[in-house]
Amino acid sequence: MQLDMHYYGTYAMAYAAGLNEETARKIAMSAQFVDDNAEERPCDFDDGAMLQLRATAHHCKQIENINADDQRQVWVPFHFLPGAEGASYEERLMCRMNSPVVQELVAHHLGLRAGRFSSALIGVLAHVFADTYSHYGFCGISCAANEVEQDSIDFHGGGSGKECTLESFCEKYTTQCAAFFAEQLSGALGHGGVATYPDQPYLRWEFDYEHRGKGPKERDNQKTFLEACRALHGIFVRYGHEHPELAAGAVHPFDDIEDAVKEVLRLADEKEARCDAWTTQAADGSLLGGDRFVIPAYDPEPWNEGIKLMDDTRDSSQVLNLDVFHFYQAAALHRSYVLRQLLPKYDLVVA
């Protein structure tokens, strides 16, 4: 999933679940920052303290993407949570939609009393959980099981807008070429072989794996993204019940907002327009049946400035209340729990 879902859609679901604006913002910021945080270095403070910044994603051209250990520390726990199903190791590494593994992850994170970084942890959880609804069927390491026959990739429209134009068909073949090179350069990491098709909420499409049996694998992103929104809304309702001090208003049941969410998801347009759709639906009251609210524009700059402060400050106590520091706390806890406890419990050793 992309910015439209990880930030704007996440914020909307958190607010609809009755959480206050500040909590919805922290959750949505943390969910999106999982994709934006590629920092990997120590911060040394003059008072003797040290903070280890660790990446939760790498950008597409970073060499770390082909590092086997890095894939297991980044892509597996944050973007392709294994479902632990199947006979072979690669099968068990495959991400599965709302698997028992991710359900246990949800229960664990919701049950923690994480103090100041509680909302950041739920944001990280929201990212990982939502990605199981788009990344299922692929795993977070380079392996043959991820390989795709590029000429089998095709889409059948969905939504409304540009999918029936000549431009869109030209774009399809361009995407197939991009997918081929992404797969080759990364050694078949994740869903590189199908480019960004899993991340576009309006798309209905199909493809065929190269080594995992024949027959097209059909995907209806609108359907699975709607399921993700419903499930995220439920997670945030549970979080609000656990932390009533973070609630601001009545919960809007998902059944009451489902049609409006569908309308956003079916918009066949670029990422920026999809972000605008969430913002507009919130502002004009369409999403929550007349209850208007504002989704603030995603702006990572204050968090980037916080990272710069970590580099420059002498006194480590000055960073303890930074939202981005809470994000790093949450990411470290999440990574450790997934790799050291959760996956081994399902007889899966990853890192």
Side-chain angles (χ1 to χ4, degrees):
M1 293 186 181
Q2 297 176 330
L3 178 66
D4 56 314
M5 280 298 302
H6 281 315
Y7 178 75
Y8 291 90
T10 297
Y11 187 106
M13 293 305 99
Y15 188 85
L19 298 176
N20 63 41
E21 294 177 358
E22 181 62 11
T23 301
R25 183 192 66 81
K26 287 181 179 179
I27 289 173
M29 281 292 301
S30 297
Q32 175 57 34
F33 206 68
V34 170
D35 272 348
D36 293 343
N37 169 49
E39 299 289 342
E40 190 80 33
R41 68 179 191 279
C43 289
D44 295 307
F45 299 91
D46 287 354
D47 61 8
M50 187 189 78
L51 171 64
Q52 180 66 45
L53 304 185
R54 299 202 64 185
T56 52
H58 293 303
H59 305 312
C60 61
K61 296 181 180 180
Q62 287 185 280
I63 192 66
E64 288 87 351
N65 284 323
I66 62 174
N67 181 285
D69 180 65
D70 210 71
Q71 291 174 1
R72 293 165 184 261
Q73 296 287 338
V74 173
W75 295 112
V76 171
F78 290 102
H79 305 276
F80 294 86
L81 187 73
E85 299 175 10
S88 71
Y89 184 74
E90 288 183 354
E91 285 179 318
R92 293 174 60 75
L93 273 185
M94 288 296 155
C95 184
R96 306 290 180 185
M97 195 169 10
N98 198 19
S99 68
V101 178
V102 76
Q103 291 175 23
E104 185 162 343
L105 177 70
V106 169
H108 177 269
H109 285 9
L110 285 175
L112 283 180
R113 294 294 175 179
R116 288 181 290 186
F117 68 94
S118 175
S119 295
L121 182 63
I122 299 305
V124 172
L125 170 65
H127 183 107
V128 177
F129 182 85
D131 269 359
T132 70
Y133 285 84
S134 57
H135 294 173
Y136 65 94
F138 296 95
C139 71
I141 68 169
S142 297
C143 66
N146 286 328
E147 292 180 1
V148 168
E149 293 185 3
Q150 265 73 45
D151 59 1
S152 73
I153 302 172
D154 196 10
F155 67 81
H156 310 294
S160 59
K162 68 176 184 179
E163 73 274 8
C164 295
T165 67
L166 176 61
E167 177 186 1
S168 67
F169 284 99
C170 293
E171 181 181 341
K172 178 184 73 172
Y173 292 109
T174 301
T175 300
Q176 288 178 341
C177 293
F180 171 78
F181 286 110
E183 183 177 270
Q184 296 300 309
L185 293 174
S186 69
L189 168 64
H191 63 73
V194 290
T196 62
Y197 276 30
D199 297 321
Q200 299 176 35
Y202 60 87
L203 205 60
R204 289 188 293 109
W205 59 293
E206 66 179 41
F207 70 99
D208 193 15
Y209 294 109
E210 191 165 339
H211 305 293
R212 295 167 59 187
K214 297 300 178 182
K217 308 300 182 291
E218 296 185 358
R219 301 270 185 131
D220 185 345
N221 289 1
Q222 288 184 56
K223 178 181 178 180
T224 54
F225 277 49
L226 182 66
E227 292 175 11
C229 287
R230 179 184 291 276
L232 282 175
H233 179 273
I235 290 172
F236 299 145
V237 169
R238 291 165 62 186
Y239 183 59
H241 288 162
E242 290 289 331
H243 299 271
E245 72 279 6
L246 302 180
V251 173
H252 292 78
F254 190 81
D255 287 346
D256 292 351
I257 67 173
E258 181 175 352
D259 288 344
V261 173
K262 285 181 179 178
E263 187 67 22
V264 177
L265 296 179
R266 70 188 296 269
L267 176 64
D269 211 328
E270 301 297 332
K271 177 175 59 179
E272 292 75 17
R274 303 197 307 263
C275 294
D276 289 343
W278 282 110
T279 302
T280 300
Q281 288 267 30
D284 67 13
S286 301
L287 186 62
L288 300 187
D291 184 359
R292 302 169 186 266
F293 66 103
V294 175
I295 303 178
Y298 177 67
D299 180 13
E301 192 54 33
W303 287 32
N304 292 331
E305 287 296 318
I307 295 173
K308 186 175 184 297
L309 179 63
M310 293 177 190
D311 286 327
D312 297 342
T313 189
R314 296 182 176 183
D315 182 358
S316 59
S317 66
Q318 294 182 27
V319 306
L320 292 175
N321 291 318
L322 294 176
D323 285 346
V324 71
F325 178 75
H326 298 160
F327 169 82
Y328 281 116
Q329 287 181 288
L333 187 153
H334 170 82
R335 177 188 278 113
S336 177
Y337 171 69
V338 168
L339 296 179
R340 309 291 191 267
Q341 297 183 53
L342 180 60
L343 295 182
K345 181 177 178 179
Y346 287 84
D347 301 323
L348 192 56
V349 179
V350 175

